Amino acid sequence: MTSVALKVGRNDPCPCGSGKQFKHCCGALKQSRSLSTDVASMLREAFNLQQHRQAAQAAALYQRILQSQPRHPEAHYLLGFIEYQAGNLTQAADLMGKALGLGLTDAAAHYHYAVVLLQLHRAAEATVQLQTALAKKPDFDDARVNLANIYFELGSFNEAEKLYRETLVRQPENWKAYHNLAHVFYYLGNIDEAIRYFEQAIKIVPQYAEAHASLATMLEVNNQLVEAEREALSALELQSGNASASVVIAKILRRGQKPGEALAALDKIDFNTATQRTLITIWNERGQNLDRLARYHEAFDAFAQSKKALAAFRGLSYNKKERELPLDEAEAYFTRARTAQLVKTLRYPTTLPLPVFVVGFLRSGTTLVEQILGSHQDIAAAGELEFTLKIEQGLIDRQGTAYPRSLDSLVTDGDGAALMASREQYLRQLAALGDYPGKKWVVDKLPFNMLHLPLIRLLFPESPIIHVVRHPLDTVLSCFFQAFLHEHEWSYTVQDAAEHYIRAVRHVERMKEALDLRYMQIRYEDLVADPQTKVRSLLSFVGVDWDPNCLKFYENKRVARTASYEQVTRPLYSNSVNRYLNYIDMIDEETLSLLEPVIVALGYESLRGSLGR
């Protein structure tokens, strides 16, 4: 994302967006008539020193002012500005916050305070300050773009899109808004729109290397490798060593089975061009290529560096209790007896197409199964939909009770209208994604729908649920090796990923006991070893005839919008089976012991030999 930096030069444009020079706008401090001549003189002198980069002398004068007038808002604010420039973010935030609390009302002051708060990972507070800046100055487009950036980082993509679009209405040539809006579409899975908006940004600033690099990134994700290389090379011509473009070149080389050359491309990166977000990808790409070269210890260390950078960037850590609470509540609520009672109230209309739910822990093979099914003439693939999650969040009763307890009052006296309305809501949203003529089924491949099985059972009892499992250690390590830029903070360490995996699998087993599911489990390893038999079994379970195109899923022109977009463009391969054996010496014994019971329960070979190392 492209953010807005503080502009402090006296003759620079004012950051409030007025078009005036800073010295004639927000820099011209409003001096209270109650100020003594000495204080007013000191303030002017301090401000002049600050503008001429004599920060220490300016700070000393602001301190003198505060000694005589400790509630002077401008002195607090400008002293905070000096602390910000010195990199003392906590002190800067304290001083700027106090200035606003003492009555400083300029929109620019709220904006600058928000910039500091953002760097302290205090996004919620920064949001309030930017909203205040916009309320005071509705044409403050820098504040609007930064507020959109916050929503983007929080995963509130619809809110971010709205603000970027508002900016473009006001400023049709604002390339930053085009550039950042393209990122929004990327994370919404609309790669075509992302490409279009990056191209628009390039038209406005053709000499901006990062715009070319961002477009190259999208083209690579879209499997347009020739075009991706062209844009990456354009970025490198404009800015030698551009980090984002170098990563794209490395990915293309790795996909061409040239991991050594890919590492060489990464070695040419100028780290002065790398954002904190790009560092995550650089380390991850190094790990991917070192893995291909069988340099496993180096690869593991590179993946660990990527996760360390990701944790620092997101400012988050795994909250196990918070993650597990909804699962605990569902398991306590959905007993066999209560589920049977709820089902009695429901009457299901016949509608086509209906969803097929492909679920499983991340990196277990769900994208492969989706691509296989989506190659069938009677089945479409819709990608990772979040309809079920949003419906679940919306099932609140009049008393404000949340799901699942809200079902007690929503489904009473034989009336299941609320759930049937939710079913229709899901189907309307599905239909809005595209036209599916002649299709009987549409695949909803949101892996963590495995944690929402009760609602799926209530809304779509006729829908097949295909649970894809892969060796637990391969799954956990693959999650650790993946740079998830949003959510999934449980993947920052191998042990946290293992604990979350164990809890998710346990939840599925408990829900299978309580719910009458149309459920099938398929192992990734079995699918790779005997694809024809297993694909026939899959199609029979769904209830469709054999289609040989399912074995040629890699010829499907549909581009998968998941981390596995590259893998499903190739025929089935076994390289990822038992990959954990290359890394087992790097996994602590506590984690191995935690996973052992689940490994055995899923039918895989015991790790006891490894545990005794």
Side-chain angles (χ1 to χ4, degrees), residues 42 110 141 143 159 173 207 275 290 298 354 369 410:
M42 279 195 292
H110 288 281
D141 290 314
E159 290 85 349
E173 296 299 302
Q207 299 304 307
T275 64
L290 288 164
E298 294 174 79
L354 285 169
V369 172
L410 289 174

Side-chain angles (χ1 to χ4, degrees), residues 359-361 446-453 456 467 504-505 507-508:
V359 307
F361 207 83
L446 187 66
F448 277 166
N449 264 334
M450 67 188 292
L451 307 181
H452 304 281
L453 294 178
I456 290 173
H467 181 197
V505 171
H507 180 71
V508 172

Side-chain angles (χ1 to χ4, degrees), residues 262-499:
L263 283 176
L266 294 172
D267 288 338
K268 295 177 183 177
I269 287 175
D270 177 358
F271 279 84
N272 291 319
T273 69
T275 64
Q276 197 175 10
R277 183 192 297 272
T278 310
L279 283 174
I280 300 164
T281 312
I282 292 170
W283 280 111
N284 185 268
E285 189 59 28
R286 286 194 68 83
Q288 300 291 348
N289 284 288
L290 288 164
D291 175 84
R292 297 286 180 92
L293 292 168
R295 292 160 60 179
Y296 300 121
H297 280 274
E298 294 174 79
F300 190 88
D301 289 342
F303 289 128
Q305 286 291 341
S306 177
K307 289 298 187 180
K308 183 178 179 181
L310 178 56
F313 176 68
R314 300 302 305 169
L316 298 173
S317 59
Y318 176 42
N319 187 327
K320 183 179 178 181
K321 184 177 181 180
E322 183 179 289
R323 280 280 185 178
E324 294 188 354
L325 182 60
L327 307 185
D328 296 338
E329 291 177 342
E331 290 168 7
Y333 184 84
F334 288 103
T335 62
R336 290 183 68 86
R338 180 176 276 121
T339 302
Q341 184 180 13
L342 290 171
V343 169
K344 287 180 181 178
T345 68
L346 306 176
R347 300 292 180 269
Y348 300 96
T350 301
T351 312
L352 289 176
L354 285 169
V356 175
F357 294 95
V358 175
V359 307
F361 207 83
L362 300 184
R363 312 297 296 153
S364 62
T366 54
T367 300
L368 172 61
V369 172
E370 176 198 35
Q371 202 77 343
I372 289 171
L373 292 174
S375 300
H376 193 284
Q377 61 181 353
D378 293 333
I379 306 174
E384 297 186 353
L385 310 181
E386 295 189 350
F387 301 162
T388 305
L389 177 60
K390 291 176 180 177
I391 287 172
E392 195 172 279
Q393 293 171 340
L395 286 173
I396 300 174
D397 64 17
R398 294 177 182 176
Q399 290 74 41
T401 306
Y403 171 93
R405 291 289 171 187
S406 61
L407 295 178
D408 288 339
S409 56
L410 289 174
V411 185
T412 57
D413 302 324
D415 180 13
L419 284 174
M420 288 303 94
S422 296
R423 175 185 165 106
E424 291 305 313
Q425 175 189 343
Y426 180 105
L427 293 173
R428 282 196 306 274
Q429 291 174 310
L430 189 64
L433 293 177
D435 189 16
Y436 303 113
K439 302 296 183 181
K440 298 178 181 177
W441 303 99
V442 179
V443 180
D444 180 342
K445 189 211 76 79
L446 187 66
F448 277 166
N449 264 334
M450 67 188 292
L451 307 181
H452 304 281
L453 294 178
L455 187 61
I456 290 173
R457 165 64 184 89
L458 293 175
L459 296 184
F460 297 104
E462 64 270 71
S463 285
I465 298 171
I466 299 169
H467 181 197
V468 188
V469 298
R470 181 183 173 197
H471 193 290
L473 265 174
D474 277 335
T475 305
V476 166
L477 280 172
S478 189
C479 288
F480 180 64
F481 295 164
Q482 184 64 42
F484 299 114
L485 292 184
H486 283 280
E487 300 181 330
H488 310 318
E489 68 283 354
W490 47 264
S491 72
Y492 294 171
T493 70
V494 175
Q495 183 164 343
D496 284 348
E499 290 185 353

Side-chain angles (χ1 to χ4, degrees), residues 110-349:
H110 288 281
Y111 168 78
H112 294 153
Y113 182 35
V115 171
V116 176
L117 291 171
L118 277 175
Q119 295 192 31
L120 289 169
H121 299 292
R122 292 161 61 178
E125 296 169 76
T127 299
V128 173
Q129 295 303 318
L130 291 171
Q131 289 170 337
T132 303
L134 280 171
K136 291 178 177 294
K137 187 174 174 51
D139 62 348
F140 198 161
D141 290 314
D142 279 356
R144 181 173 285 104
V145 169
N146 260 9
L147 182 57
N149 292 349
I150 293 177
Y151 283 133
F152 175 89
E153 296 300 345
L154 293 175
S156 301
F157 300 123
N158 292 330
E159 290 85 349
E161 179 186 353
K162 176 176 178 290
L163 288 169
Y164 289 135
R165 287 192 182 280
E166 286 178 4
T167 302
L168 288 172
V169 168
R170 294 180 42 75
Q171 297 182 338
E173 296 299 302
N174 189 318
W175 67 267
K176 292 176 183 175
Y178 280 112
H179 190 267
N180 293 357
L181 184 56
H183 280 288
V184 169
F185 283 117
Y186 168 49
Y187 282 100
L188 288 172
N190 192 338
I191 303 301
D192 292 335
E193 281 294 277
I195 289 172
R196 186 166 73 86
Y197 278 94
F198 279 130
E199 289 174 338
Q200 188 64 38
I202 289 171
K203 286 180 182 178
I204 299 170
V205 282
Q207 299 304 307
Y208 181 52
E210 198 61 34
H212 289 277
S214 295
L215 176 57
T217 301
M218 293 302 101
L219 291 166
E220 188 272 330
V221 170
N222 212 40
N223 291 320
Q224 296 175 250
L225 301 188
V226 173
E227 296 89 342
E229 183 178 19
R230 181 195 65 220
E231 291 298 329
L233 291 175
S234 295
L236 290 168
E237 287 177 11
L238 291 166
Q239 185 181 48
S240 178
N242 179 279
S244 301
S246 298
V247 168
V248 173
I249 295 295
K251 286 183 176 182
I252 293 170
L253 289 167
R254 173 169 56 82
R255 293 181 68 169
Q257 309 305 315
K258 299 176 182 178
E261 294 179 41
L263 283 176
L266 294 172
D267 288 338
K268 295 177 183 177
I269 287 175
D270 177 358
F271 279 84
N272 291 319
T273 69
T275 64
Q276 197 175 10
R277 183 192 297 272
T278 310
L279 283 174
I280 300 164
T281 312
I282 292 170
W283 280 111
N284 185 268
E285 189 59 28
R286 286 194 68 83
Q288 300 291 348
N289 284 288
L290 288 164
D291 175 84
R292 297 286 180 92
L293 292 168
R295 292 160 60 179
Y296 300 121
H297 280 274
E298 294 174 79
F300 190 88
D301 289 342
F303 289 128
Q305 286 291 341
S306 177
K307 289 298 187 180
K308 183 178 179 181
L310 178 56
F313 176 68
R314 300 302 305 169
L316 298 173
S317 59
Y318 176 42
N319 187 327
K320 183 179 178 181
K321 184 177 181 180
E322 183 179 289
R323 280 280 185 178
E324 294 188 354
L325 182 60
L327 307 185
D328 296 338
E329 291 177 342
E331 290 168 7
Y333 184 84
F334 288 103
T335 62
R336 290 183 68 86
R338 180 176 276 121
T339 302
Q341 184 180 13
L342 290 171
V343 169
K344 287 180 181 178
T345 68
L346 306 176
R347 300 292 180 269
Y348 300 96

Side-chain angles (χ1 to χ4, degrees), residues 473 476-477 493-499 502 586-597 599 607 611 613:
L473 265 174
V476 166
L477 280 172
T493 70
V494 175
Q495 183 164 343
D496 284 348
E499 290 185 353
I502 291 165
M586 289 152 252
I587 306 171
D588 63 277
E589 293 198 15
E590 182 180 355
T591 300
L592 293 175
S593 297
L594 283 171
L595 285 169
E596 170 71 5
I599 290 170
L607 292 176
L611 293 174
R613 64 188 180 196

